[in-house]
Amino acid sequence: MSESLFSQAETALLNTVVGAGTALSDALALPPGTLPFLPTGTFAAISSGIDTLDNLANATGLTTLASDLLGAPESLINGTAIGGTTLGIPQSMGFVAGAEPAIVPIEPSAATPTVAQFLDAANAEYTLGGTPPGMRPFLVDGRQLGITNEITGLSAKVWVTDQNQIIIAYQGTTGGDNLLVNPLIALTQVATDVQIYAKTTPQAETGALAFAREVIGYAAQQGISPGSVFVTGHSLGGIEAEYVAQQTGLGGIGFEPTGIPKSATAAGTGANFVDVVTYGDPVGNYASDIKGEQPFAPAYAPGQSGSLPHYGQVVMIGTPSDQTQLTQAVASWNNPGLNQLTVPATLAVLMAEYHLPGTQAHDLGIALSPLGVSDTQGSMNGTVFPAGGYTIPQFIKAYDAAHGIAASALAA
């Protein structure tokens, strides 16, 4: 690409990231009761900027270069697998250039990876190297299938289990240990988080969806049916997995995802997707179907309802009393004065305590592998629900039995 186009891309990206950071700072200083609703047009401007940058990155080949450097298979780089060019430059995939692959009907399967496999795959997105136990990289042209988009913040890798099941693992904010080799994407992932908290659907989610559809196609070429393709992720990665499951019907587990907007184009019922939320975590509890984080979160509406419900079955883990701690922390949000100013800092402390994968691993009785730098951090004192060996149906059934109510009703 030309130096001028590259400079334009860098400048535009910097402006978008700075703008997103400013918007987030403004959000934390708004008058009581106004978060997450920033001044009209703020999030539309951020989304428009990301769209423009993504198109520019595709046109100049910047996206394909990033994917190549960070591990995408050769077929996705030279364009031979999918074909198509933009301004004469081969695209890594049809979806990168904005094309929408055909929707593939998904038949839910009772045979799924285990909870431990899902969490290990999700956590592997935060580590440098290492293969989750019982899995191997899903190869296309001899390289692990994956995607990295610096502009939207989307990053994912694909694994195949010993049972020949595919797990698409989406990366959470900051990329964990990957900050050492790819710090730029952490900034755009934060910008995506801002959009999510505004109850919008960012490009990282739609890109995740298109990537999943391409994975389904590659899996079919290797004799793996759509019903054996699953999604997972932690935090932002869990939200992307949640959205993909909503739009395709794919099964999977999202760890600590927020709720997402209901969708007229949803293809799944959520019966084969689980949202694992730790009591006390400000991120996973940011939803309209869980009681405990209002008024900071959207208004509570029981029964997987309201403006931002979780898609799928909500499973709460850890110690219920930690939810009271979260409720008390956000109760100050509508009270003017110093108490309100402490809310963001308090939420950050609670995130460090209850949001990290190591906490979920402890509360589910799972020994994480591979381990990331932060996997020994957080609260390791929660009530343990040993569910690591369960499939998704077994997980839901066991949780229902343990609590005497349906997992989908646990939010109340």
Side-chain angles (χ1 to χ4, degrees), residues 227-275:
S228 293
V229 178
F230 301 88
V231 290
T232 194
H234 173 266
S235 193
L236 173 60
I239 297 167
E240 291 165 354
E242 186 182 9
Y243 176 76
V244 170
Q246 178 196 65
Q247 296 298 311
T248 62
L250 289 174
I253 299 179
F255 298 93
E256 309 300 335
T258 66
I260 60 175
K262 290 173 287 190
S263 173
T265 59
T269 65
N272 59 343
F273 188 86
V274 175
D275 304 275

Side-chain angles (χ1 to χ4, degrees), residues 361-412:
H362 172 274
D363 293 348
L364 291 168
I366 296 170
L368 279 178
S369 180
L371 282 173
V373 170
S374 66
D375 287 334
T376 57
Q377 306 302 311
S379 172
M380 305 299 175
N381 301 311
T383 303
V384 177
F385 174 44
Y390 293 151
T391 64
I392 291 174
Q394 291 170 338
F395 189 28
I396 295 172
K397 184 176 180 180
Y399 193 82
D400 182 17
H403 292 77
I405 54 175
S408 60
L410 291 174

Side-chain angles (χ1 to χ4, degrees), residues 42-52 195 200-203:
T42 299
F43 294 105
I46 292 175
S47 296
S48 177
I50 291 175
D51 288 344
T52 300
Q195 293 176 280
T200 63
T201 301
Q203 264 203 318

